[in-house]
Amino acid sequence: MTHRSGFISIVGRPNVGKSTMLNQLVGQKIAIMSDKPQTTRNNIRGVRTTDDSQMIFIDTPGMHKPKHRLGDFMLKSAIRTLKDVDAVLFVVNATEKPGKGDQMIIERFQGLKTPVFLVVNKIDLVHPDQLLPLIDSYNSLYEFDEIIPVSAQEGNNCTTLLTTLESILPEGPAFYPKDQVTDHPERFIMQEFIREQVLHVTREEVPHSVAVVLDAVEKRKGGAVYVAATIIVERASQKGIIIGKQGSMLKHIGQEARGEIERLLGSRIFLELWVKVKSDWRNRPHHLVEYGFDEKDYQD
């Protein structure tokens, strides 16, 4: 029996639902989700394995014009995935017409020999009659190999997307064990789950100014796991927002994040959180490296 395998990059503007799509295609939550743009900062790999194939999906940061060195990292990180993959999923929002951001991404497809799928996401939010004009507008910008409307949130048409992808992947072996769903260590996912809760409860500039560093993970007697983490912000005012009145906000963040981490590890979790201020950390290479962003991406 033929076995197919390959790497698929998921790209698009911020807030088009790429992380939701990754979780849907893999069948498990491995990427954090938020209604705020630029939620994803690192390339996150999700693995879907069946008897006949293995697909490695790469969820990338939303492509946008950088405003700081962290933004530079995110853009370079996304662009790099267009090389050496077997397919590209260009995810767009069904509720929005093509804009300058979409055209910037499409320009990156010029000269690619890799198949590029146009994946029109969030079709559950629009009337079917709206889809054809939207697809025509994208077709005028680039000749896509496939066009597949989906709802990553509801799972609509995602099976069609998977079946079509499998048909174009090359023959090859499995690159990961059958039960592995991501190549990121659990520590990274735990940090992301904490950051996700900060995104959910804060507004304005706070979500974009937050990083999370895991300080300790220790197994305790009885099978419980102690987790200590520090939430990094850029200003003292942001620290006050995250802590909240008498620590109420930080307590809420911890409670929600603990539930996600417990589902990930299958163990009882004791989660302790601190908040520290690191001024302008998004523009300081040594802080970016410290918080998990690759130093080589800042070299000219």
Side-chain angles (χ1 to χ4, degrees):
M1 181 180 293
T2 300
H3 186 276
R4 297 181 181 275
S5 59
F7 293 79
I8 301 109
S9 177
I10 306 174
V11 301
R13 289 184 296 107
N15 214 29
V16 294
K18 298 184 300 298
S19 296
T20 303
M21 181 163 297
L22 175 70
N23 293 335
Q24 180 67 243
L25 297 178
V26 172
Q28 182 175 328
K29 182 177 179 179
I30 58 173
I32 67 173
M33 298 175 291
S34 169
D35 60 355
K36 300 176 179 65
Q38 303 173 32
T39 298
T40 300
R41 288 176 175 168
N42 305 76
N43 291 335
I44 299 174
R45 290 188 179 185
V47 184
R48 180 186 180 92
T49 304
T50 67
D51 291 338
D52 302 320
S53 67
Q54 185 173 85
M55 303 181 196
I56 302 95
F57 295 97
I58 307 170
D59 180 26
T60 66
M63 290 186 177
H64 63 287
K65 186 177 181 179
K67 296 181 179 179
H68 39 63
R69 293 183 72 88
L70 176 60
D72 290 337
F73 169 88
M74 293 163 65
L75 181 60
K76 291 177 182 177
S77 184
I79 291 172
R80 191 183 307 113
T81 68
L82 298 178
K83 304 175 182 178
D84 302 324
V85 293
D86 299 286
V88 174
L89 302 184
F90 175 40
V91 183
V92 302
N93 189 337
T95 67
E96 299 176 359
K97 296 178 180 179
K100 291 182 179 179
D102 297 295
Q103 293 179 23
M104 182 270 288
I105 297 171
I106 289 173
E107 287 174 5
R108 303 285 181 174
F109 299 154
Q110 304 301 327
L112 276 185
K113 296 181 180 179
T114 307
V116 180
F117 288 18
L118 175 66
V119 182
V120 183
N121 191 26
K122 304 187 182 184
I123 60 172
D124 53 306
L125 302 180
V126 300
H127 191 277
D129 291 345
Q130 296 175 254
L131 285 177
L132 190 56
L134 181 70
I135 289 171
D136 286 342
S137 64
Y138 277 101
N139 260 335
S140 67
L141 300 174
Y142 188 80
E143 187 176 344
F144 295 96
D145 293 87
E146 297 283 348
I147 299 173
I148 303 178
V150 304
S151 169
Q153 184 69 43
E154 303 296 330
N156 300 344
N157 223 26
C158 287
T159 299
T160 299
L161 175 58
L162 288 167
T163 302
T164 308
L165 274 173
E166 184 176 296
S167 70
I168 60 98
L169 290 180
E171 294 184 22
F175 295 96
Y176 295 94
K178 189 174 183 179
D179 59 350
Q180 186 170 343
V181 295
T182 182
D183 66 347
H184 273 287
E186 289 176 339
R187 292 178 68 95
F188 171 84
I189 300 176
M190 291 160 67
Q191 289 175 171
E192 286 288 271
F193 282 167
I194 296 168
R195 188 167 69 89
E196 178 180 40
Q197 297 310 317
V198 177
L199 295 177
H200 284 172
V201 300
T202 58
R203 291 291 182 267
E204 304 303 330
E205 82 285 353
V206 177
H208 306 296
S209 304
V210 168
V212 177
V213 178
L214 219 58
D215 302 307
V217 179
E218 301 171 0
K219 285 191 175 182
R220 298 282 176 88
K221 291 182 180 180
V225 178
Y226 168 75
V227 177
T230 301
I231 299 171
I232 308 295
V233 294
E234 291 185 317
R235 293 194 291 275
S237 60
Q238 296 168 343
K239 178 178 179 178
I241 291 171
I242 290 177
I243 293 175
K245 187 176 182 180
Q246 297 181 334
S248 58
M249 184 70 80
L250 191 62
K251 181 179 179 181
H252 177 71
I253 291 169
Q255 288 174 336
E256 296 299 316
R258 186 176 68 244
E260 294 284 2
I261 295 171
E262 285 181 338
R263 282 185 281 275
L264 172 70
L265 301 183
S267 303
R268 191 159 53 97
I269 300 296
F270 292 104
L271 177 61
E272 195 165 10
L273 298 176
W274 288 272
V275 186
K276 290 185 179 179
V277 177
K278 297 287 185 180
S279 178
D280 199 30
W281 69 264
R282 289 178 293 174
N283 277 315
R284 301 183 184 274
H286 66 284
H287 283 325
L288 291 166
V289 173
E290 181 183 355
Y291 304 153
F293 303 104
D294 199 332
E295 186 174 16
K296 68 176 181 292
D297 291 302
Y298 302 96
Q299 298 172 351
D300 295 328

